[in-house]
Amino acid sequence: MTPEQQDFVLRACGASSLRAGATIQSLWSGYGEIVRVHLQGSRRPSVILKHVRFPAEAEHTDRSHRRKVRSYQVETNWYQNFSTDDSCRIPACLAACSHGDEMLIVLEDLDVAGFDGRRTSVEEQEIRAVLGWLAHFHALFLGVEPEGLWPVGTYWHLETRPDELEAMDHTELKAAAAAIDRALSECRFQTIVHGDAKLANFCFSPSGREAAAVDFQYVGGGCGMKDVAYFLGSCLDERECEKRVPGLLDLYFSELKAALRRDVDGDALEEEWRDMFAFAWADFDRFLLGWMPGHWKINRYSKRLTRELLAPTRSRDFRSRADITTTREQLGGAAGARGDGERREQEPAQDPPPQPCFRENVQPVGASVLIGAEPDSGASSESAFI
């Protein structure tokens, strides 16, 4: 840190001195780093500094670079202008600033706040904690305009991923991609979605019964099922999905309806969003098939949901939103092929399949990562995995 940056952190924290600890994570493609900063003379023993530096050699007309820049701007705006409550905990933003090609975000250290647990596999209480977090988050922001955020949240949003769409070999899903996107975007009930709600972006209390979320680079508007489908796919294998997803959706909707404002028709919301679950899953499946066709998340459960969504009997359910039935007839009903094409744009890194039996694996506090790089990341961190 430069002396000016050190002064910025000291003023934000009311500290007399500071010491930069080890780098927690280097941001993807040399875009900066995340550091734990130890403080003296402050009520906080430490904070997290996310220091973004846009590489001088970055091609500013490059789509990937522009997406990264926008994601950091969105995250800064999120922390400065939006807040949650204890039912969907996030780190407090103490200060943020930008100057030229650099951005600084000073955040509460969630380890100090009691969320020092990280999981690479989960047990029942962690799944319940995250679904509860998502339910309260979606209820809190139901109907809120995503001003200053992504108009449509998630890093795999169709409009931001034309290269992956072009690379797809699954012709039927490729042809239906715009219709699926519109169905999700035109839901009556819209909220703000986290946009990268994988297991690695949640921090847990020692008991695992409470969760806090980090990494808000792709927060924006959308249907809450995008977060739910993505989270479940990040921690359940195909067999567990087949067996457990119905019950876990019941749990989510129970939490959601209990958290809604009294003027919201909870039954109508549940009916609409339950119908959107397969859409949300197929929407992410579309991104994976264009980016890394051999990814482990393209499994039998994923294929079944997508196949059933594209079937003529189901496609008629949303024909008023987009004519997928006609698309299917134009394709002659041919099933799309799934090849093992080359990986697109070295982002993000492929994560290993979930470990069986939901074994708990808690990283040591000293090795914890609080704020992740964007989903384009190739770093081995909480947000380095899809």
Side-chain angles (χ1 to χ4, degrees):
M1 285 185 287
T2 66
E4 292 78 13
Q5 291 166 350
Q6 291 184 30
D7 287 343
F8 175 74
V9 176
L10 290 171
R11 290 196 305 271
C13 303
S16 57
S17 64
L18 61 78
R19 176 178 59 84
T23 297
I24 294 174
Q25 176 192 321
S26 294
L27 301 182
W28 170 247
S29 296
Y31 277 67
E33 61 187 2
I34 299 170
V35 178
R36 176 172 280 109
V37 178
H38 302 277
L39 304 171
Q40 293 292 329
S42 171
R43 66 185 182 87
R44 300 177 184 274
S46 61
V47 292
I48 300 301
L49 177 65
K50 187 166 187 175
H51 185 187
V52 179
R53 295 186 299 271
F54 303 136
E57 66 276 12
E59 177 55 63
H60 287 215
T61 60
D62 176 74
R63 181 180 290 116
S64 177
H65 171 74
R66 286 186 278 112
R67 185 169 60 242
K68 291 180 177 70
V69 171
R70 176 62 179 150
S71 76
Y72 292 124
Q73 293 169 341
V74 164
E75 184 172 40
T76 300
N77 192 62
W78 163 260
Y79 280 123
Q80 288 183 312
N81 297 295
F82 291 81
S83 62
T84 64
D85 55 34
D86 287 342
S87 67
C88 44
R89 188 75 154 78
I90 65 173
C93 179
L94 307 179
C97 70
S98 61
H99 180 72
D101 287 341
E102 294 191 62
M103 304 171 70
L104 295 176
I105 307 176
V106 183
L107 295 164
E108 172 189 18
D109 188 338
L110 287 178
D111 279 11
V112 175
F115 295 91
D116 59 356
R118 308 295 180 270
R119 304 291 191 267
T120 56
S121 60
V122 289
E123 294 185 355
E124 183 71 18
Q125 65 265 24
E126 286 94 4
I127 295 178
R128 286 178 171 270
V130 173
L131 289 177
W133 189 99
L134 290 173
H136 283 87
F137 185 82
H138 296 154
L140 180 64
F141 291 105
L142 190 70
V144 174
E145 290 295 323
E147 185 176 352
L149 310 178
W150 293 97
V152 180
T154 74
Y155 67 84
W156 60 91
H157 177 222
L158 180 63
E159 185 177 339
T160 67
R161 293 293 182 170
D163 296 337
E164 289 78 9
L165 181 66
E166 179 63 27
M168 284 181 65
D169 290 329
H170 191 312
T171 55
E172 193 173 11
L173 181 55
K174 184 176 184 177
I180 292 171
D181 177 69
R182 283 196 299 274
L184 289 162
S185 298
E186 294 175 2
C187 282
R188 170 188 170 192
F189 296 98
Q190 293 286 316
T191 186
I192 290 177
V193 296
H194 178 284
D196 190 12
K198 55 177 166 279
L199 174 62
N201 280 337
F202 288 91
C203 309
F204 295 92
S205 64
S207 68
R209 292 185 173 88
E210 296 178 272
V214 298
D215 193 354
F216 287 89
Q217 289 175 230
Y218 290 91
V219 64
C223 171
M225 287 295 95
K226 290 185 175 183
D227 280 340
V228 174
Y230 183 60
F231 167 67
L232 293 177
S234 78
C235 61
L236 301 179
D237 63 24
E238 58 187 13
R239 289 173 296 179
E240 293 295 334
C241 282
E242 291 286 2
K243 181 170 62 175
R244 305 194 63 197
V245 162
L248 293 174
L249 285 178
D250 289 344
L251 171 65
Y252 167 81
F253 282 112
S254 176
E255 292 276 348
L256 178 68
K257 291 166 75 173
L260 290 172
R261 303 186 309 271
R262 291 186 177 181
D263 62 337
V264 177
D265 186 339
D267 291 339
L269 186 156
E270 179 177 1
E271 181 179 4
E272 180 182 62
W273 280 13
R274 276 188 183 273
D275 190 52
M276 287 294 103
F277 181 75
F279 286 77
W281 200 290
D283 187 53
F284 181 64
D285 202 26
R286 175 264 309 159
F287 165 71
L288 281 184
L289 286 165
W291 172 71
M292 187 181 287
H295 198 285
W296 65 266
K297 287 187 179 180
I298 304 172
N299 53 41
R300 285 175 293 182
Y301 180 80
S302 173
K303 292 176 181 179
R304 180 179 67 77
L305 282 190
T306 299
R307 183 174 61 250
E308 291 176 356
L309 182 66
L310 296 175
T313 54
R314 180 66 202 273
S315 66
R316 283 194 291 271
D317 292 345
F318 58 100
R319 187 171 182 176
S320 61
R321 299 186 180 112
D323 199 351
I324 286 184
T325 303
T326 299
T327 298
R328 185 179 179 89
E329 292 169 353
Q330 290 171 346
L331 292 170
R338 286 176 168 85
D340 291 324
E342 292 186 358
R343 176 173 172 165
R344 301 285 301 176
E345 208 188 322
Q346 296 298 308
E347 50 166 357
Q350 176 169 292
D351 52 330
Q355 299 179 26
C357 303
F358 303 96
R359 292 192 299 270
E360 182 177 286
N361 182 356
V362 183
Q363 297 180 8
V365 172
S368 65
V369 177
L370 291 183
I371 305 296
E374 65 168 296
D376 292 326
S377 173
S380 55
S381 74
E382 64 181 344
S383 119
F385 309 108
I386 274 193

Coordinates of all heavy atoms in Angstrom, one line a residue, residues 28 62-65 67-68 154-175 177-178 218 282-295 298 337-339 341-349 374-377 386:
W28 N -8.0 -12.3 -10.0 CA -7.7 -12.9 -11.3 C -7.1 -12.0 -12.3 O -7.4 -10.8 -12.4 CB -9.1 -13.4 -11.9 CG -9.1 -13.9 -13.3 CD1 -9.7 -13.3 -14.4 CD2 -8.4 -15.0 -13.8 NE1 -9.4 -14.0 -15.5 CE2 -8.7 -15.0 -15.2 CE3 -7.6 -16.0 -13.3 CZ2 -8.2 -16.1 -16.0 CZ3 -7.1 -17.0 -14.1 CH2 -7.4 -17.0 -15.4
D62 N -11.6 -5.1 -24.7 CA -11.8 -6.5 -24.5 C -13.1 -6.8 -23.7 O -13.2 -6.2 -22.6 CB -10.6 -7.2 -23.9 CG -10.8 -8.7 -23.6 OD1 -10.8 -9.5 -24.6 OD2 -11.0 -9.0 -22.4
R63 N -13.9 -7.7 -24.1 CA -15.2 -7.9 -23.4 C -15.0 -8.4 -22.0 O -15.6 -8.0 -21.0 CB -16.0 -9.0 -24.2 CG -17.4 -9.3 -23.5 CD -18.2 -10.3 -24.3 NE -18.7 -9.7 -25.5 CZ -18.3 -10.2 -26.7 NH1 -17.4 -11.2 -26.8 NH2 -18.8 -9.7 -27.8
S64 N -14.0 -9.3 -21.8 CA -13.7 -9.8 -20.5 C -13.2 -8.7 -19.5 O -13.6 -8.7 -18.3 CB -12.7 -11.0 -20.5 OG -12.3 -11.4 -19.3
H65 N -12.3 -7.9 -20.0 CA -11.9 -6.8 -19.2 C -13.0 -5.8 -18.8 O -13.1 -5.5 -17.6 CB -10.8 -6.0 -19.9 CG -10.4 -4.7 -19.2 ND1 -9.6 -4.7 -18.1 CD2 -10.7 -3.4 -19.5 CE1 -9.4 -3.5 -17.7 NE2 -10.0 -2.7 -18.5
R67 N -16.1 -6.5 -18.5 CA -17.0 -7.2 -17.6 C -16.4 -7.2 -16.2 O -17.1 -7.0 -15.2 CB -17.2 -8.7 -18.0 CG -18.2 -9.4 -17.1 CD -18.6 -10.8 -17.7 NE -17.4 -11.6 -17.9 CZ -17.0 -12.1 -19.1 NH1 -17.7 -11.7 -20.2 NH2 -16.0 -12.9 -19.2
K68 N -15.1 -7.4 -16.1 CA -14.4 -7.3 -14.8 C -14.5 -5.9 -14.1 O -14.8 -5.8 -13.0 CB -12.9 -7.7 -14.9 CG -12.7 -9.2 -15.2 CD -11.2 -9.4 -15.4 CE -10.8 -10.9 -15.6 NZ -11.3 -11.3 -16.9
T154 N -26.1 -12.3 -11.8 CA -25.3 -13.6 -12.1 C -24.3 -13.3 -13.2 O -24.5 -12.5 -14.1 CB -26.2 -14.7 -12.6 OG1 -26.7 -14.5 -13.9 CG2 -27.4 -14.9 -11.7
Y155 N -23.2 -14.0 -13.0 CA -22.1 -13.9 -14.0 C -22.3 -14.6 -15.3 O -21.5 -14.4 -16.2 CB -20.7 -14.3 -13.3 CG -20.6 -15.7 -13.0 CD1 -20.2 -16.6 -14.0 CD2 -20.9 -16.2 -11.8 CE1 -20.0 -18.0 -13.7 CE2 -20.7 -17.5 -11.4 CZ -20.3 -18.4 -12.4 OH -20.2 -19.8 -12.1
W156 N -23.3 -15.5 -15.3 CA -23.6 -16.2 -16.6 C -24.7 -15.7 -17.4 O -25.2 -16.3 -18.3 CB -23.8 -17.7 -16.2 CG -25.0 -17.9 -15.4 CD1 -26.3 -18.2 -15.7 CD2 -25.0 -18.0 -13.9 NE1 -27.1 -18.4 -14.6 CE2 -26.4 -18.3 -13.5 CE3 -24.0 -17.9 -12.9 CZ2 -26.7 -18.4 -12.2 CZ3 -24.4 -18.0 -11.6 CH2 -25.7 -18.2 -11.2
H157 N -25.2 -14.5 -17.0 CA -26.3 -13.9 -17.7 C -26.0 -13.9 -19.2 O -25.0 -13.5 -19.7 CB -26.5 -12.5 -17.3 CG -27.6 -11.7 -18.0 ND1 -27.5 -10.4 -18.4 CD2 -28.8 -12.2 -18.4 CE1 -28.6 -10.1 -19.0 NE2 -29.4 -11.1 -19.1
L158 N -27.0 -14.3 -20.0 CA -26.9 -14.5 -21.4 C -26.3 -13.3 -22.2 O -25.4 -13.5 -23.0 CB -28.3 -14.9 -22.0 CG -28.3 -15.2 -23.5 CD1 -27.5 -16.4 -23.9 CD2 -29.8 -15.4 -24.0
E159 N -26.8 -12.1 -21.9 CA -26.3 -10.9 -22.6 C -24.8 -10.7 -22.4 O -24.2 -10.1 -23.3 CB -27.1 -9.7 -22.1 CG -26.8 -8.5 -22.9 CD -27.6 -7.3 -22.4 OE1 -28.7 -7.5 -21.8 OE2 -27.2 -6.1 -22.7
T160 N -24.2 -11.1 -21.3 CA -22.8 -10.9 -21.1 C -21.9 -12.1 -21.5 O -20.7 -12.0 -21.4 CB -22.6 -10.6 -19.6 OG1 -22.8 -11.8 -18.8 CG2 -23.4 -9.5 -19.1
R161 N -22.5 -13.1 -22.1 CA -21.8 -14.3 -22.4 C -22.1 -14.8 -23.9 O -22.4 -15.9 -24.1 CB -22.1 -15.5 -21.5 CG -21.7 -15.2 -20.0 CD -20.2 -15.2 -19.9 NE -19.7 -15.1 -18.5 CZ -18.5 -15.2 -18.1 NH1 -17.5 -15.6 -19.0 NH2 -18.1 -15.0 -16.9
P162 N -21.9 -13.9 -24.8 CA -22.1 -14.3 -26.2 C -21.1 -15.3 -26.8 O -21.4 -16.1 -27.6 CB -22.1 -13.0 -27.0 CG -21.2 -12.1 -26.2 CD -21.5 -12.4 -24.7
D163 N -19.9 -15.2 -26.3 CA -18.9 -16.1 -26.8 C -19.2 -17.6 -26.4 O -19.1 -18.5 -27.2 CB -17.5 -15.8 -26.2 CG -17.0 -14.4 -26.7 OD1 -17.5 -14.0 -27.8 OD2 -16.2 -13.8 -26.0
E164 N -19.6 -17.8 -25.1 CA -20.0 -19.1 -24.7 C -21.2 -19.6 -25.4 O -21.3 -20.8 -25.7 CB -20.2 -19.1 -23.2 CG -19.0 -18.9 -22.3 CD -18.5 -17.5 -22.3 OE1 -19.2 -16.6 -22.8 OE2 -17.4 -17.3 -21.8
L165 N -22.2 -18.7 -25.7 CA -23.4 -19.2 -26.4 C -23.0 -19.6 -27.8 O -23.4 -20.7 -28.3 CB -24.4 -18.0 -26.5 CG -25.7 -18.3 -27.3 CD1 -26.5 -19.4 -26.5 CD2 -26.5 -17.1 -27.5
E166 N -22.1 -18.9 -28.5 CA -21.7 -19.2 -29.8 C -21.0 -20.6 -29.9 O -21.0 -21.3 -30.8 CB -20.8 -18.1 -30.4 CG -20.2 -18.4 -31.8 CD -21.3 -18.5 -32.8 OE1 -22.4 -17.8 -32.6 OE2 -21.1 -19.1 -33.8
A167 N -20.2 -20.9 -28.8 CA -19.4 -22.1 -28.7 C -20.3 -23.4 -28.5 O -19.8 -24.5 -28.6 CB -18.4 -22.0 -27.7
M168 N -21.5 -23.2 -28.1 CA -22.3 -24.4 -27.7 C -22.6 -25.3 -28.8 O -22.8 -24.9 -30.0 CB -23.7 -23.9 -27.2 CG -23.7 -23.3 -25.8 SD -25.4 -22.9 -25.3 CE -26.2 -24.5 -25.3
D169 N -22.5 -26.6 -28.5 CA -22.9 -27.7 -29.5 C -24.3 -28.2 -29.3 O -24.8 -28.9 -30.1 CB -21.9 -28.8 -29.4 CG -20.5 -28.5 -29.9 OD1 -20.4 -27.7 -30.8 OD2 -19.5 -29.1 -29.4
H170 N -24.9 -27.9 -28.1 CA -26.2 -28.3 -27.8 C -27.2 -27.4 -28.6 O -27.6 -26.3 -28.1 CB -26.5 -28.2 -26.3 CG -27.7 -28.9 -25.8 ND1 -28.9 -28.7 -26.4 CD2 -27.9 -29.7 -24.8 CE1 -29.9 -29.4 -25.7 NE2 -29.2 -30.0 -24.8
T171 N -27.6 -27.8 -29.8 CA -28.3 -26.9 -30.7 C -29.7 -26.5 -30.1 O -30.2 -25.4 -30.3 CB -28.4 -27.5 -32.1 OG1 -29.0 -28.8 -31.9 CG2 -27.1 -27.6 -32.7
E172 N -30.3 -27.4 -29.5 CA -31.7 -27.2 -29.0 C -31.7 -26.2 -27.8 O -32.5 -25.2 -27.8 CB -32.3 -28.5 -28.6 CG -33.8 -28.4 -28.3 CD -34.5 -29.7 -28.1 OE1 -33.7 -30.7 -27.9 OE2 -35.7 -29.8 -28.1
L173 N -30.8 -26.4 -26.9 CA -30.7 -25.4 -25.8 C -30.2 -24.1 -26.2 O -30.6 -23.0 -25.8 CB -29.8 -26.0 -24.7 CG -29.6 -25.1 -23.4 CD1 -31.0 -24.8 -22.8 CD2 -28.7 -25.8 -22.4
K174 N -29.3 -24.1 -27.2 CA -28.8 -22.9 -27.8 C -29.9 -22.1 -28.4 O -30.0 -20.8 -28.2 CB -27.7 -23.2 -28.8 CG -27.0 -22.0 -29.4 CD -25.9 -22.5 -30.3 CE -25.1 -21.3 -30.9 NZ -23.9 -21.8 -31.7
A175 N -30.7 -22.7 -29.1 CA -31.9 -22.0 -29.8 C -32.9 -21.5 -28.8 O -33.5 -20.5 -29.0 CB -32.5 -23.0 -30.8
A177 N -32.1 -20.5 -25.7 CA -31.4 -19.8 -24.6 C -32.1 -18.4 -24.4 O -32.3 -18.0 -23.2 CB -30.0 -19.6 -25.0
A178 N -32.4 -17.7 -25.4 CA -33.1 -16.4 -25.3 C -34.4 -16.5 -24.6 O -34.8 -15.6 -23.8 CB -33.1 -15.7 -26.6
Y218 N -21.4 -9.7 -8.9 CA -22.4 -10.0 -9.9 C -23.8 -9.9 -9.3 O -24.8 -10.6 -9.7 CB -22.2 -11.4 -10.5 CG -20.9 -11.2 -11.4 CD1 -19.7 -11.5 -10.9 CD2 -21.0 -10.8 -12.7 CE1 -18.5 -11.4 -11.7 CE2 -19.9 -10.6 -13.5 CZ -18.6 -10.9 -13.0 OH -17.5 -10.7 -13.7
A282 N -31.4 -24.7 -16.2 CA -31.0 -24.8 -17.6 C -30.3 -23.6 -18.1 O -29.4 -23.7 -18.9 CB -32.3 -25.0 -18.4
D283 N -30.5 -22.4 -17.5 CA -29.9 -21.2 -17.8 C -28.4 -21.3 -17.5 O -27.5 -20.9 -18.3 CB -30.5 -20.0 -17.1 CG -30.0 -18.7 -17.5 OD1 -30.0 -18.4 -18.8 OD2 -29.6 -17.9 -16.7
F284 N -28.0 -21.8 -16.3 CA -26.6 -22.0 -16.0 C -26.0 -23.2 -16.8 O -24.8 -23.1 -17.2 CB -26.5 -22.3 -14.5 CG -25.1 -22.5 -14.1 CD1 -24.2 -21.4 -14.2 CD2 -24.6 -23.7 -13.6 CE1 -22.8 -21.6 -13.8 CE2 -23.3 -23.8 -13.2 CZ -22.4 -22.8 -13.3
D285 N -26.8 -24.2 -17.0 CA -26.3 -25.3 -17.9 C -25.9 -24.8 -19.3 O -24.9 -25.2 -19.8 CB -27.5 -26.3 -18.0 CG -27.0 -27.7 -18.4 OD1 -25.8 -28.0 -18.1 OD2 -27.8 -28.4 -19.0
R286 N -26.7 -23.8 -19.8 CA -26.3 -23.2 -21.1 C -24.9 -22.6 -21.1 O -24.1 -22.7 -22.0 CB -27.4 -22.2 -21.4 CG -27.2 -21.3 -22.7 CD -26.5 -20.0 -22.3 NE -27.2 -19.3 -21.3 CZ -26.7 -18.3 -20.6 NH1 -25.4 -18.0 -20.8 NH2 -27.4 -17.7 -19.6
F287 N -24.6 -21.8 -20.0 CA -23.3 -21.2 -19.9 C -22.2 -22.3 -19.8 O -21.2 -22.2 -20.5 CB -23.2 -20.4 -18.6 CG -21.8 -20.0 -18.2 CD1 -21.1 -19.1 -19.0 CD2 -21.2 -20.6 -17.1 CE1 -19.8 -18.8 -18.6 CE2 -19.9 -20.3 -16.8 CZ -19.2 -19.4 -17.5
L288 N -22.4 -23.3 -19.0 CA -21.4 -24.4 -18.9 C -21.1 -25.1 -20.2 O -20.0 -25.4 -20.5 CB -21.8 -25.4 -17.8 CG -21.6 -25.0 -16.3 CD1 -22.0 -26.2 -15.5 CD2 -20.2 -24.6 -16.0
L289 N -22.2 -25.4 -20.9 CA -22.0 -26.1 -22.2 C -21.3 -25.3 -23.2 O -20.6 -25.9 -24.1 CB -23.4 -26.5 -22.7 CG -24.1 -27.6 -22.0 CD1 -25.6 -27.7 -22.3 CD2 -23.5 -28.9 -22.3
G290 N -21.3 -24.0 -23.1 CA -20.5 -23.2 -24.0 C -19.1 -22.9 -23.5 O -18.2 -22.7 -24.3
W291 N -18.9 -23.0 -22.2 CA -17.6 -22.6 -21.6 C -16.7 -23.9 -21.4 O -15.6 -23.9 -21.8 CB -17.8 -21.9 -20.3 CG -16.5 -21.7 -19.5 CD1 -15.5 -20.9 -19.9 CD2 -16.1 -22.4 -18.4 NE1 -14.4 -21.1 -19.0 CE2 -14.8 -22.0 -18.0 CE3 -16.7 -23.4 -17.6 CZ2 -14.1 -22.5 -16.9 CZ3 -16.1 -23.9 -16.4 CH2 -14.8 -23.4 -16.1
M292 N -17.3 -24.9 -20.8 CA -16.6 -26.1 -20.5 C -17.5 -27.3 -20.6 O -18.1 -27.8 -19.6 CB -15.9 -26.1 -19.1 CG -15.0 -27.3 -18.9 SD -14.2 -27.2 -17.2 CE -13.0 -25.9 -17.5
P293 N -17.7 -27.9 -21.8 CA -18.7 -29.0 -21.9 C -18.5 -30.2 -21.1 O -19.4 -31.0 -20.8 CB -18.6 -29.3 -23.4 CG -18.1 -28.1 -24.0 CD -17.1 -27.5 -23.0
G294 N -17.2 -30.4 -20.6 CA -16.9 -31.6 -19.8 C -17.0 -31.3 -18.4 O -16.6 -32.2 -17.6
H295 N -17.5 -30.2 -17.9 CA -17.6 -29.9 -16.5 C -18.5 -30.9 -15.7 O -19.5 -31.3 -16.2 CB -18.2 -28.5 -16.3 CG -17.9 -27.8 -15.0 ND1 -18.6 -28.2 -13.8 CD2 -17.0 -26.9 -14.6 CE1 -18.1 -27.5 -12.8 NE2 -17.2 -26.7 -13.3
I298 N -22.3 -30.8 -15.4 CA -23.2 -31.2 -16.5 C -23.4 -32.7 -16.3 O -22.7 -33.6 -16.9 CB -22.6 -30.9 -17.9 CG1 -22.3 -29.4 -18.0 CG2 -23.6 -31.3 -19.0 CD1 -21.6 -29.0 -19.2
A337 N -26.1 -32.2 -29.1 CA -24.9 -32.9 -28.7 C -24.1 -32.2 -27.7 O -24.1 -31.0 -27.7 CB -24.0 -33.2 -29.9
R338 N -23.5 -32.9 -26.8 CA -22.7 -32.3 -25.8 C -21.3 -32.9 -26.0 O -21.0 -34.0 -25.7 CB -23.1 -32.7 -24.3 CG -24.4 -31.9 -23.9 CD -24.8 -32.4 -22.5 NE -25.8 -31.6 -21.9 CZ -27.1 -31.7 -22.1 NH1 -27.6 -32.5 -23.0 NH2 -27.9 -30.9 -21.5
G339 N -20.4 -32.1 -26.5 CA -19.0 -32.5 -26.7 C -18.1 -32.1 -25.6 O -18.5 -31.5 -24.6
G341 N -15.5 -29.9 -25.9 CA -14.7 -28.9 -26.5 C -13.7 -28.2 -25.6 O -13.7 -28.4 -24.4
E342 N -12.9 -27.4 -26.2 CA -11.9 -26.7 -25.4 C -12.5 -25.7 -24.5 O -13.5 -25.1 -24.8 CB -10.8 -26.1 -26.4 CG -10.0 -27.1 -27.1 CD -8.9 -26.4 -27.9 OE1 -8.9 -25.1 -27.9 OE2 -8.2 -27.1 -28.6
R343 N -11.8 -25.4 -23.4 CA -12.2 -24.5 -22.5 C -12.1 -23.1 -23.1 O -11.2 -22.7 -23.7 CB -11.3 -24.6 -21.3 CG -11.5 -23.6 -20.2 CD -10.5 -24.1 -19.1 NE -10.5 -23.1 -18.0 CZ -10.0 -23.3 -16.8 NH1 -9.5 -24.5 -16.6 NH2 -10.0 -22.4 -15.9
R344 N -13.2 -22.3 -22.8 CA -13.2 -20.9 -23.3 C -12.6 -20.0 -22.3 O -12.8 -20.1 -21.1 CB -14.7 -20.5 -23.5 CG -15.5 -21.4 -24.4 CD -15.1 -21.1 -25.9 NE -15.4 -19.7 -26.2 CZ -15.1 -19.3 -27.4 NH1 -14.5 -20.0 -28.3 NH2 -15.4 -18.0 -27.7
E345 N -11.8 -19.0 -22.8 CA -11.4 -17.9 -22.0 C -11.0 -18.3 -20.6 O -11.8 -18.4 -19.7 CB -12.6 -16.9 -21.9 CG -12.2 -15.5 -21.7 CD -13.4 -14.6 -21.4 OE1 -14.5 -14.9 -22.0 OE2 -13.3 -13.7 -20.6
Q346 N -9.8 -18.5 -20.3 CA -9.4 -19.2 -19.1 C -10.0 -18.6 -17.8 O -9.3 -18.0 -17.0 CB -7.8 -19.2 -19.0 CG -7.1 -19.9 -20.1 CD -7.5 -21.4 -20.1 OE1 -7.3 -22.0 -19.1 NE2 -7.9 -21.9 -21.2
E347 N -11.2 -18.8 -17.7 CA -12.0 -18.4 -16.5 C -13.3 -19.1 -16.5 O -14.0 -19.2 -17.5 CB -12.2 -16.8 -16.6 CG -12.8 -16.5 -18.0 CD -13.3 -15.1 -18.1 OE1 -13.4 -14.4 -17.1 OE2 -13.7 -14.7 -19.2
P348 N -13.8 -19.5 -15.4 CA -13.2 -19.7 -14.1 C -12.6 -21.1 -14.0 O -12.7 -21.9 -14.9 CB -14.3 -19.5 -13.2 CG -15.6 -19.8 -14.0 CD -15.2 -19.6 -15.4
A349 N -11.9 -21.4 -12.9 CA -11.3 -22.7 -12.8 C -12.3 -23.7 -12.5 O -13.3 -23.5 -11.8 CB -10.3 -22.6 -11.6
E374 N -13.8 -12.4 -8.8 CA -15.0 -12.6 -9.5 C -15.1 -14.1 -10.1 O -14.1 -14.8 -10.1 CB -15.1 -11.6 -10.7 CG -13.9 -11.8 -11.7 CD -14.2 -11.0 -13.0 OE1 -15.1 -11.3 -13.6 OE2 -13.4 -10.2 -13.2
P375 N -16.2 -14.5 -10.6 CA -16.3 -15.9 -11.1 C -15.5 -16.1 -12.3 O -15.4 -17.2 -12.7 CB -17.8 -16.0 -11.4 CG -18.5 -14.9 -10.6 CD -17.5 -13.8 -10.5
D376 N -14.8 -15.1 -12.8 CA -13.9 -15.3 -13.9 C -12.5 -15.8 -13.3 O -11.6 -16.1 -14.1 CB -13.6 -14.0 -14.6 CG -14.8 -13.5 -15.4 OD1 -15.5 -14.3 -15.9 OD2 -14.9 -12.3 -15.5
S377 N -12.5 -16.0 -12.0 CA -11.2 -16.2 -11.4 C -10.6 -17.6 -11.6 O -11.3 -18.5 -11.8 CB -11.4 -16.0 -9.8 OG -10.2 -16.4 -9.2
I386 N -16.6 -22.6 -10.0 CA -18.0 -22.4 -10.4 C -18.8 -23.4 -9.6 O -18.5 -24.5 -9.5 CB -18.1 -22.8 -11.9 CG1 -17.7 -21.6 -12.7 CG2 -19.4 -23.2 -12.3 CD1 -18.1 -21.7 -14.1

